[in-house]
């Protein structure tokens, strides 16, 4: 492309009269005004305008009139609607928006004082992004959704928008060249829209897999993790101010082979793998060093000469593998730092204990110690950890605790420093959903513990896992995974039998829950209205690994960790 400079639209930019400029912007009021201003001041030689989402006719006319008055019409070379209003974080995961995500947050959707027009705006925002996604995919989905919640509103609007686009044959985005290019070229995909309220416990759950742990305990956003490196204490003389903590950020992307392989693995396995990688790297490094010393041999004796000819080939291959070695070293350092930071949290907050206990709560297994003990234990976790544990207990219990028990728990939570605002909201929510539906089940079979680890690895390891449980994950499907599975396989299931069915390609929209298509789906997109997290994503990925030839994509309006979700619950509980 030869792009030499990239700037933000609203920054102060100097005129560069002999250079073409490519704009990649959302068609908002402010952005369009700024583009008009650029045309008036004739900043660039030519303008290529790319709008992330479709621009309205009136805004396009504003740009045209600005170009006319400034006499720069000929300079506007191209105008494109790109339909890219979504963010792809993984090959099989999308989120809607990064900026202004509070507009479509769980809190925004569940505010008691929300007006109809505000709700319409939120729905339109979500539908616009989903429409962009399907245009990019080049496929018209079959839509399924539950009745009577936000997911249904999204489904109705999306069906209407796709239908209108298909009807306008001349300008349809789903005909001819656009179709059949994606991975979904043989069969139409299934889009399952679910409401976040189907399962709140998973959002509060402490987790045990690498990617979800990084998201839960570290600052991990848009595939970048920011770590604070603790400055060395002994280096500062007494009385001197402690050094500022260094901030380091690492990108965890598709290019990182270790991350791709282990992001869904249980944490002790990850620590072990980092150690193995480090050992194999050291062996390769020693080999290169050994060759170096041999090549430096003095003297002309025959032994040295024959060794030289032998080792020339070896050295050549060693030198050519150096870039690979350096990259390996970079990844090992990166994951050593990230995993060490995660391990510190696990140890300090006893996250293994929380994870195991919550799994037992969610799978209705017998509990080995009382909930009150954990809440009252000053060493077990932060106030937020305790609140999360109690909320999971409250959400998953078939019968809510009696008033006297509840007061006891509340007192213990307050003593531990918790704000009770999230609980206020969950109480209202539980009372409301009880009227609406039966409680969600989380499957049976909890995690098995392999006993305490004295050390996971050999004693030379950097990860001293002393006292951390080596928990083995048992595959159990979470509610969203179960819903998707029964809809993909066309299985009869009381959870999904009442789901509505939309086919935007049918001429007449019929409101039925009877699917026309009786074949199981090979490809599906599950989209959670109200936010999602990596635990749910990982659960879907693991479930699909067992099914040959099936592809799924996970999407959500926003990706949040438990801390961000608890904050939204508190804001709802304070109202």
């Amino acid at each position: 492309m030869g792009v030499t400079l990239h700037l933000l639209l609203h920054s102060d930019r100097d005129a560069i009269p002999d250079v073409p400029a490519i704009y990649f912007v959302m068609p908002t009021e402010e952005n369009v005004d700024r583009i008009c201003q650029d045309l008036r001041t004739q900043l660039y030689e030519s303008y290529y305008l790319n709008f992330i989402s479709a621009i309205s006719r009136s805004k396009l006319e504003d740009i045209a009139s600005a170009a006319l008055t400034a006499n720069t019409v000929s300079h506007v070379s191209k105008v494109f609607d790109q339909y890219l209003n979504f963010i792809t974080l993984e090959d099989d995961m999308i989120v809607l928006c990064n900026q202004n995500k509070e507009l479509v947050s769980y809190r925004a959707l569940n505010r008691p004082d929300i007006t109809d027009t505000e709700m319409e705006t939120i729905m339109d925002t979500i539908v616009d992004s989903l429409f962009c996604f399907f245009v990019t995919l080049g496929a018209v989905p079959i839509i399924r959704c539950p009745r009577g919640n936000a997911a249904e509103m999204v489904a109705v609007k999306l069906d209407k928008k796709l239908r209108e686009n298909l009807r306008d044959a001349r300008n349809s985005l789903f005909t001819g060249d656009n179709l059949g290019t994606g991975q979904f070229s043989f069969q139409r995909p299934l889009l399952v829209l679910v409401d976040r309220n189907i399962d709140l416990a998973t959002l509060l759950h402490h987790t045990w897999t690498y990617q979800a742990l990084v998201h839960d305990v570290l600052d991990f956003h848009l595939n970048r993790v920011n770590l604070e490196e603790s400055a060395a204490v002994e280096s500062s003389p007494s009385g001197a101010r402690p050094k500022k903590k260094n901030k380091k950020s690492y990108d965890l992307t598709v290019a990182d082979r270790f991350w791709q392989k282990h992001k869904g693995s249980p944490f002790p396995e990850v620590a072990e793998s980092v150690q193995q990688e480090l050992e194999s790297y050291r062996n390769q490094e020693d080999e290169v060093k050994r060759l170096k010393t041999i090549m430096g041999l003095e003297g002309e004796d025959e032994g040295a000469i024959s060794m030289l000819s032998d080792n020339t080939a070896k050295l050549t291959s060693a030198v050519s593998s150096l870039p690979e070695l350096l990259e390996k070293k970079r990844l090992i350092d990166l994951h050593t730092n990230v995993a060490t930071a995660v391990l510190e949290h696990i140890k300090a907050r006893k996250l293994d204990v929380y994870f195991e206990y919550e799994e037992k709560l969610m799978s209705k297994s017998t509990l080995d110690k009382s909930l009150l003990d954990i809440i009252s234990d000053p060493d077990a976790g932060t106030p937020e950890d305790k609140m999360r544990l109690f909320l999971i207990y409250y959400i998953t219990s078939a019968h809510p605790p009696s008033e006297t028990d509840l007061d006891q728990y509340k007192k213990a939570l307050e003593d531990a420093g918790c704000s009770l605002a999230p609980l206020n909201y969950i109480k209202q929510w539980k009372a409301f959903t009880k009227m609406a539906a039966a409680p969600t089940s989380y499957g049976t079979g909890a995690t098995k513990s392999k006993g305490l680890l004295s050390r996971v690895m050999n004693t030379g390891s950097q990860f001293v896992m002393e006292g951390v449980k080596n928990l083995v994950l048992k595959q159990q499907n979470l509610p969203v995974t179960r819903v998707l599975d029964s809809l993909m396989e066309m299985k009869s299931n009381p959870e999904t039998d009442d789901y509505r069915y939309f086919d935007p390609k049918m001429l007449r929209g019929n409101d039925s829950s009877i699917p026309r298509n009786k074949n199981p789906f090979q490809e599906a997109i599950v989209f959670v209205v109200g936010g999602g997290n990596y635990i749910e994503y990982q659960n879907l990925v693991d479930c699909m690994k067992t099914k040959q030839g099936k592809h799924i994509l996970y999407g959500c309006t926003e990706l949040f960790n438990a801390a961000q979700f608890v904050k939204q619950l508190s804001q709802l509980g304070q109202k």
Side-chain angles (χ1 to χ4, degrees), residues 218-219 224-231 243-250 337:
L218 303 177
D219 174 12
R224 172 169 291 175
V225 63
N226 297 308
L227 289 183
E228 274 195 356
E229 293 196 326
S230 44
K243 280 187 180 173
K244 263 191 181 170
K245 286 188 171 176
N246 288 338
K247 279 209 163 179
K248 275 209 154 175
S249 53
Y250 303 107
N337 292 346

Side-chain angles (χ1 to χ4, degrees), residues 66-271:
L68 262 174
T69 48
N71 202 12
T72 51
V73 178
S74 59
H75 296 203
V76 180
S77 303
K78 294 231 163 105
V79 180
F80 289 107
D81 283 337
Q82 292 290 8
Y83 292 100
L84 291 173
N85 189 12
F86 56 90
I87 299 166
T88 313
L89 289 179
E90 304 272 345
D91 291 344
D92 49 7
M93 180 188 217
I94 59 158
V95 293
L96 287 202
C97 45
N98 179 34
Q99 290 149 327
N100 312 330
K101 61 179 174 208
E102 44 290 335
L103 281 178
V104 293
S105 66
Y106 179 83
R107 175 177 167 252
L109 286 161
N110 291 278
R111 273 177 29 224
D113 56 350
I114 189 165
T115 62
D116 286 355
T117 46
E118 284 174 320
M119 196 62 167
E120 285 289 312
T121 313
I122 294 172
M123 292 299 121
D124 289 340
T125 311
I126 296 172
V127 168
D128 179 63
S129 286
L130 280 172
F131 182 75
C132 288
F133 171 70
F134 284 108
V135 171
T136 305
L137 201 61
V140 181
I142 283 165
I143 307 169
R144 302 294 306 267
C145 70
R147 293 172 186 270
N149 54 27
E152 182 180 30
M153 294 164 77
V154 171
V156 171
K157 277 182 172 286
L158 182 62
D159 176 60
K160 182 167 176 259
K161 191 163 179 140
L162 287 166
R163 202 175 278 283
E164 282 168 359
N165 192 274
L166 287 165
R167 201 172 296 149
D168 178 5
R170 221 175 42 167
N171 299 317
S172 172
L173 295 158
F174 294 98
T175 50
D177 302 342
N178 303 338
L179 273 188
T181 48
Q183 63 192 83
F184 297 117
S185 42
F186 302 114
Q187 187 200 23
R188 287 169 60 197
L190 169 72
L191 167 66
V192 179
L193 288 159
V194 289
D195 195 276
R196 183 64 271 162
N197 287 319
I198 186 179
D199 169 20
L200 293 186
T202 300
L203 287 182
L204 299 159
H205 192 13
H206 288 85
T207 173
W208 201 234
T209 56
Y210 191 28
Q211 184 175 33
L213 263 170
V214 170
H215 188 229
D216 189 10
V217 301
L218 303 177
D219 174 12
F220 181 53
H221 181 60
L222 295 181
N223 291 350
R224 172 169 291 175
V225 63
N226 297 308
L227 289 183
E228 274 195 356
E229 293 196 326
S230 44
V233 183
E234 63 275 11
S235 60
S236 57
S238 57
R241 258 188 280 177
K243 280 187 180 173
K244 263 191 181 170
K245 286 188 171 176
N246 288 338
K247 279 209 163 179
K248 275 209 154 175
S249 53
Y250 303 107
D251 289 331
L252 300 173
T253 58
V254 185
D256 182 338
R257 286 208 306 276
F258 185 88
W259 176 247
Q260 287 307 311
K261 190 175 172 188
H262 294 290
K263 63 185 180 188
S265 309
F267 187 72
E269 239 175 72
V270 174

Side-chain angles (χ1 to χ4, degrees), residues 44 307 385 500 551:
Y44 308 111
M307 279 176 89
D385 291 326
R500 289 184 65 178
H551 296 285

